[in-house]
Amino acid sequence: MNLPVVQACLLAEADLQRIRRAADYVRAHDTDQVLAELLPDLTAEERADVSRHLVFDHTAVLVFPATLDGLCEELRERGLEPGEMTPSVVVRGRLARRYGAVVGESPVGIVHVAVEGRSVEVFALPVPPDSPLEAVVADERAAGHESHHAFALTSPGPVVPAGLRTLLQERGGAVSDGGGHNAHENVTVLYFRTRTHQRFELRLPGRHAPLPDPAVSLLGVMTGAWATQAVATMAELHIADHLADTPGMDADTLAKLTDTHPDALRRLLRYLSTLGLLTSADGTYHLTAAGQPLRTGTDFSLHPLALLYGGLFYDSFAGLTHSVRTGEEAFAHRYGRHHFTYLAEHPELGDLFHRAMAASTEMFAPVPHLLDFTDVHKVIDVGGGNGELLGRVLRAHAHVEGVLLEQEGALEAARSNLADVTARCTFSPGDFTKAVPPGGDVYLLSRVLHDWDDERCLTILRRCAEAMRPGAQLLLVERLLPDREGTPAPAVAWDVHMLCNVGGRERNENHYRGLLEEAGFEFRGCDALPLGGSLIHAVRATP
């Protein structure tokens, strides 16, 4: 079909072609196909479930006519089917935030071009000749900031949108990218970016809670150090213990018990409430489930960790830039000693460190039950600290004997911790980089390898392999990095902590598999543990 020639073109040919390409995309794709392209991490079953609540609605492009007047007529003359033009609130606001005063009060229009039951959503920013907005045009055409695919919600109510947002972000890897309510259409638009560097939009009828403002979210991240110190102060003042003993205490009473300034304490309590550690009602305060682990004298109390993270480790993180620049540990840079040497020279801090490590031993609870110990007679815990993991194994399996290999300074605490199983336990002072006791059926390496670089890890694993007969089993307890970049996991933060404080690193499963195989082991499997931990199972290969 020959289309009429338009005499006064408002749209550049490049913009017209972008609209046509978007229309071709809309014709060629259904909801499942668009989801698969945008969010490849979702399984087919997850995409099918999402498609029950969302439908692919349109593809959006931003164009730059000389004026908005007559744009719809020009589109019709080009053989397209535009609807009526309405003002864009959300996109105009995004452009204003991105480019500032140069955008000024420039209007942005929206017109939907019909495409076989769907549409191309055309955003139009008028750019007269010789306008300072030409710089915006060049940047937007190159980057495509406002191009996206859109899904319309088909399930009413607040529950489904909340669930979809969680699924798309946690499983699909989408990251929020702004949005807002458009009163002209009475629709809330929520934008997301994907791992594939594309954008999509959820269109929710009516007014819904907006996504967090990116700048406000950044401020929350930047003030994370304040939260660390607030939690450390809560631990130092034993606030959790006081509120556990007397729930519903007011700030004045708590101030007397903690010898603190009532108004200053009240301000701290208010902040702790926003962190989810307390709740408040009628001027009284209660512990939440998240605040409970800060109590002392309880199983798996995190009280020592709060003091350590707010003290020694907090200070060492001030040297993180040094670590990132050099690859060296910030701790040694700031304190003049390696982490472990410094703790050995300062017994009070060493004691806090060992208590802090014991605080996260909830991770060990399933380990004695994830391996068949029926034919196991001797378990050797290599670098086992105070013997917490070995003690759990010995208490769960009365026929098993244990050997704890540690430096002499750590064995004193271990003897006390294992007093009830001393008859079945040998305490062996030594250095696991030089030699490991032979004759074990099972060897344990719990949170040891992450303290060291790959070369030292291989040394430790080879010392273990030298001591083990073929078929003897090795159990590693570590936090594993996720395989995909950007996936939230506790080990990601701990990896930076290891860089900063001990010069070690966290690793993913394949990294450990490679180290094990190079040292003479066969990788057998991996089990999840509490607190983001994992149990890696390997056996000594036949040399």
Side-chain angles (χ1 to χ4, degrees):
M1 179 177 66
N2 293 323
L3 298 175
V5 177
V6 179
Q7 298 299 320
C9 295
L10 300 177
L11 276 177
E13 183 63 25
D15 284 345
L16 183 61
Q17 291 305 315
R18 292 176 67 233
I19 296 173
R20 293 194 187 284
R21 286 195 298 271
D24 291 341
Y25 183 94
V26 169
R27 292 188 188 96
H29 291 76
D30 61 20
T31 302
D32 185 76
Q33 290 170 321
V34 181
L35 284 170
E37 177 184 307
L38 292 171
L39 303 169
D41 293 335
L42 292 181
T43 65
E45 292 77 13
E46 288 169 335
R47 293 199 309 272
D49 196 36
V50 170
S51 296
R52 293 173 50 229
H53 307 289
L54 295 179
V55 61
F56 175 40
D57 184 75
H58 67 256
T59 290
V61 295
L62 174 62
V63 299
F64 308 96
T67 177
L68 297 182
D69 296 333
L71 177 59
C72 291
E73 289 77 3
E74 178 170 323
L75 292 173
R76 278 190 285 271
E77 290 175 355
R78 297 288 187 175
L80 301 169
E81 301 178 32
E84 294 184 4
M85 183 173 292
T86 59
S88 168
V89 176
V90 176
V91 172
R92 205 208 76 80
R94 286 170 59 86
L95 291 172
R97 286 191 295 274
R98 189 175 300 130
Y99 299 106
V102 69
V103 173
E105 298 301 320
S106 300
V108 176
I110 302 177
V111 58
H112 285 267
V113 175
V115 181
E116 298 181 2
R118 298 193 182 99
S119 68
V120 174
E121 185 175 49
V122 179
F123 300 119
L125 172 67
V127 181
D130 301 321
S131 165
L133 287 170
E134 291 290 354
V136 174
V137 175
D139 184 64
E140 287 294 324
R141 282 180 174 157
H145 293 300
E146 299 307 321
S147 297
H148 64 264
H149 304 303
F151 301 93
L153 183 73
T154 58
S155 301
V159 175
V160 169
L164 282 171
R165 287 159 65 171
T166 300
L167 175 67
L168 296 176
Q169 291 180 276
E170 293 189 358
R171 284 286 304 118
V175 178
S176 63
D177 190 37
H181 179 252
N182 189 331
H184 297 284
E185 299 181 73
N186 190 27
V187 63
T188 298
V189 294
L190 303 177
Y191 293 114
F192 298 85
R193 289 195 178 274
T194 74
R195 296 190 199 282
T196 56
H197 306 293
Q198 300 183 74
R199 295 177 66 244
F200 70 91
E201 169 193 316
L202 295 186
R203 295 176 61 83
L204 313 178
R207 186 182 291 274
H208 290 258
L211 294 171
D213 180 272
V216 174
S217 297
L218 177 59
L219 284 173
V221 174
M222 291 167 61
T223 58
W226 303 351
T228 301
Q229 286 299 313
V231 174
T233 299
M234 179 177 174
E236 187 173 349
L237 297 176
H238 292 272
I239 289 173
D241 288 334
H242 290 303
L243 291 180
D245 293 339
T246 310
M249 191 180 299
D250 61 41
D252 289 336
T253 304
L254 191 55
K256 293 178 181 177
L257 291 172
T258 56
D259 192 25
T260 55
H261 187 281
D263 181 64
L265 178 63
R266 188 176 292 106
R267 293 159 69 178
L268 172 66
L269 297 174
R270 180 171 57 197
Y271 182 38
L272 293 170
S273 296
T274 69
L275 298 177
L277 304 183
L278 306 176
T279 59
S280 61
D282 300 325
T284 63
Y285 297 89
H286 300 258
L287 277 177
T288 64
Q292 289 285 342
L294 290 175
R295 297 170 58 193
T296 60
T298 62
D299 289 340
F300 312 126
S301 169
L302 298 183
H303 184 272
L305 270 179
L307 297 176
L308 186 64
Y309 289 169
L312 193 66
F313 287 166
Y314 183 89
D315 182 65
S316 67
F317 251 85
L320 179 58
T321 301
H322 171 80
S323 290
V324 174
R325 289 188 186 280
T326 66
E328 301 170 354
E329 59 184 280
F331 192 99
H333 178 67
R334 292 184 67 80
Y335 291 100
R337 301 281 193 283
H338 184 273
H339 171 92
F340 294 116
T341 303
Y342 186 85
L343 293 179
E345 294 173 353
H346 296 79
E348 73 287 354
L349 292 175
D351 176 66
L352 175 61
F353 174 79
H354 287 299
R355 287 190 290 116
M357 294 304 98
S360 56
T361 55
E362 181 183 357
M363 187 183 294
F364 299 157
V367 173
H369 314 290
L370 292 174
L371 181 72
D372 183 0
F373 282 86
T374 303
D375 296 325
V376 173
H377 301 289
K378 181 179 288 188
V379 173
I380 298 179
D381 193 349
V382 179
N386 69 352
E388 181 66 29
L389 177 55
L390 180 60
R392 288 177 179 271
V393 172
L394 296 180
R395 294 178 189 109
H397 304 286
H399 66 286
V400 172
E401 295 183 353
V403 177
L404 180 66
L405 173 67
E406 253 298 357
Q407 295 182 0
E408 183 63 56
L411 289 179
E412 182 178 350
R415 290 186 179 94
S416 175
N417 192 39
L418 299 175
D420 59 318
V421 291
T422 298
R424 291 189 285 125
C425 187
T426 300
F427 299 91
S428 176
D431 180 349
F432 50 55
T433 66
K434 296 179 179 178
V436 170
D441 302 301
V442 172
Y443 285 72
L444 306 175
L445 272 173
S446 171
R447 300 184 298 180
V448 169
L449 297 184
H450 74 160
D451 288 333
W452 308 100
D453 59 23
D454 283 0
E455 182 179 354
R456 187 62 65 89
C457 282
L458 283 171
T459 297
I460 296 168
L461 289 172
R462 284 170 177 149
R463 296 296 85 80
C464 291
E466 291 166 1
M468 297 169 68
R469 59 172 175 75
Q473 302 182 74
L474 176 66
L475 301 181
L476 308 181
V477 176
E478 296 288 356
R479 287 188 172 94
L480 296 182
L481 289 170
D483 293 328
R484 295 193 310 269
E485 289 283 339
T487 301
V492 175
W494 258 270
D495 185 43
V496 179
H497 169 70
M498 302 311 293
L499 166 68
C500 189
N501 278 286
V502 297
R505 67 187 310 139
E506 305 293 354
R507 301 169 173 87
N508 64 19
E509 181 180 312
N510 284 334
H511 197 154
Y512 278 116
R513 183 195 294 259
L515 292 173
L516 287 164
E517 291 175 352
E518 187 172 348
F521 293 90
E522 294 178 5
F523 179 91
R524 289 295 176 87
C526 184
D527 293 288
L529 299 175
L531 300 180
S534 294
L535 180 69
I536 298 173
H537 185 191
V539 299
R540 177 69 170 98
T542 301

